Structure formats: C-alpha cells, structure tokens
Amino acid sequence: MGKGKTLLISVGMEIMLIICITAANLNPTPILYFIFYNLLYGLIFSLFIPLYCLYKENGVSVSGSVLAEVGFKKPGIRQWGVLATFVVFSVGGQLIPKMAVGEQIQWCLLPMGIAPLIMTTFFEEFLFRGFVQSRIDRQFGWVLAILVSGAMFSLYHLGYPGFRTWEDILLLFAVGVGFAAAYKLSGNNLIVSFFVNLPNAFVTYILKYEQFPVMRVSSTIAAAVTLVLIGLILLLYRNTDQRRQ
C-alpha cells in the first residue's frame, strides 16, 4: 500500500468513525444506536475494511501471517513488563489520588460497562494501533506513527457528546500516545496495547460515567453478540490466511 493511499484511507476511516458515532448518539433508540455503533463504526469501519485492505496486500509479512502483522502475537517477558508498567501508571494515576482523599469510587457501575468497553477497546486497538500505526510506522517511521495513532484516537472521540472539549481532546491525545507507545515498545503487540487500554477504559468509565453513553442491559447483550461476531470473523480470516500461505 502506497504512502498516499495509507494516509487517505486513515483519514477517510477517521471521518466515517466520527460520523457513525455522532449519528449513534443523536438518536439513543437502541436499534439505531447499535446499527451506527456496533455495526458501522465497529464491524464495518474498524474491522472489515482493515481486514479487506490486509487481504488485498496479499499477506506479505516477515512472520508469514497477516494477523501477526497487525500485532496478534504471543506475549513474552518483555511484553508482560510493558503491560504491567503502563497499567500501574495509567490506572494508579487515576485511582490513587482520589482514593487518597477519600473520594467514593462508583464500582457498582462497572458490571454494565464491561462487555461494551471490551468491544470498543478491541475496535480502537485493532484500527488505530494494529492497522494504522503499523503501516505508518513502516512507511514514515515510528515517531509519526505514534503521533498519528494518538491523534486519531483522540479526534474520533468527537463523535461522543461527552468528550467534545479541548481539554478532553488534548488529554485523550496524551492517552492515545501512551497506548501507541505501549504498542511500539512491546514490539507491535496488539494484545499488550489492548490490555493497557482496557483497564484504563474501565477506570475512566467509573470516574467519568456521565461523559459516556448510557450503559444498559441491551448494551451488554449487543456488545456480547458483537464480540462473538468478532471472534468468528477473525477465525474465518485466520483460516483463509493459512490457506493462502
């Protein structure tokens, strides 16, 4: 994939993500929300299109596996070390100051958000880190790749009404750069970046739940169905990938 095409696809998908998430939040009716969010934002633009681009590239990678190219690799000691370091600082940095002053943490909110946040975190990491960052790193270098990945992660939150302030966007840029750095430092390991992002998402949700879309039982069911579809899609893609090698 040429440099210009990589940037064009990245910009195009970023715009579509913002449009889909904005549309989902304009009308909170469950069926419309899930069509725009789970289906369009998630399965189509964050998974199907990147997988299609990978397929068209003929699976050329050092490891021989297309999915390995986007970071599906078994973690080793180095990866676990990067993961532990980032989680301690990101989660501890949010919780410890609040717990130190006796602020009540709304842990009761977490169960309803687990499945939706796992789903969203996967889409974020697969697209922004596994797909976009890997390609920009290879074509433009790791510095620009980390900055672009962080910027895309930050700006796509413009689709969420609760995150449309300069303060939130700048903070999310810093957070996105951190996730991108974890991905790079771990050797482009999607598992590491996912498990760095996920605890941070859980903590951010219970601390700033009013900024998030409302989590209901229907959200959990829809997210669970979507996660099953993600697993089936990746399994089918892996089998197709193996047959092509």
Side-chain angles (χ1 to χ4, degrees), residues 7-226:
L7 294 176
L8 182 62
I9 289 175
S10 299
V11 171
M13 287 196 294
E14 179 80 347
I15 292 171
M16 293 310 301
L17 295 189
I18 295 172
I19 291 174
C20 289
I21 296 171
T22 300
N25 286 282
L26 281 176
N27 191 333
T29 302
I31 185 63
L32 291 178
Y33 186 90
F34 300 138
I35 287 173
F36 282 107
Y37 194 82
N38 295 50
L39 179 61
L40 293 179
Y41 149 66
L43 292 173
I44 300 298
F45 291 107
S46 297
L47 187 62
F48 279 146
I49 292 179
L51 283 175
Y52 175 76
C53 292
L54 290 170
Y55 183 85
K56 296 297 287 185
E57 290 174 19
N58 297 316
V60 177
S61 67
V62 175
S63 67
S65 169
V66 176
L67 292 180
E69 187 179 335
V70 294
F72 281 98
K73 305 171 186 178
K74 184 179 179 180
I77 295 176
R78 171 188 171 189
Q79 285 71 38
W80 289 119
V82 171
L83 173 57
T85 300
F86 274 82
V87 168
V88 167
F89 279 96
S90 64
V91 174
Q94 292 187 80
L95 287 179
I96 292 175
K98 295 184 179 297
M99 295 175 70
V101 298
E103 183 174 331
Q104 185 176 5
I105 308 298
Q106 300 291 327
W107 297 106
C108 61
L109 297 172
L110 186 56
M112 201 62 68
I114 289 176
L117 291 173
I118 290 174
M119 178 193 71
T120 301
T121 297
F122 172 81
F123 289 140
E124 292 175 349
E125 294 308 309
F126 188 88
L127 178 61
F128 299 135
R129 254 63 72 181
F131 183 71
V132 173
Q133 184 176 337
S134 294
R135 269 139 194 75
I136 293 181
D137 189 333
R138 190 161 55 246
Q139 296 176 355
F140 296 94
W142 65 270
V143 174
L144 184 62
I146 287 176
L147 293 175
V148 170
S149 177
M152 288 184 66
F153 172 79
S154 172
L155 293 174
Y156 110 99
H157 281 85
L158 289 171
Y160 298 97
F163 292 92
R164 291 175 185 165
T165 67
W166 282 108
E167 293 83 359
D168 282 322
I169 295 302
L170 290 175
L171 176 60
L172 287 165
F173 173 69
V175 171
V177 166
F179 296 155
Y183 182 67
K184 179 62 178 178
L185 289 172
S186 67
N188 292 3
N189 193 297
L190 198 68
I191 296 172
V192 170
S193 59
F194 175 81
F195 283 106
V196 167
N197 188 342
L198 185 59
N200 183 80
F202 287 155
V203 172
T204 302
Y205 171 59
I206 62 177
L207 295 180
K208 301 180 180 180
Y209 63 90
E210 70 281 353
Q211 292 180 251
F212 284 75
V214 177
M215 305 289 189
R216 299 184 175 91
V217 173
S218 59
S219 305
T220 295
I221 295 172
V225 171
T226 304

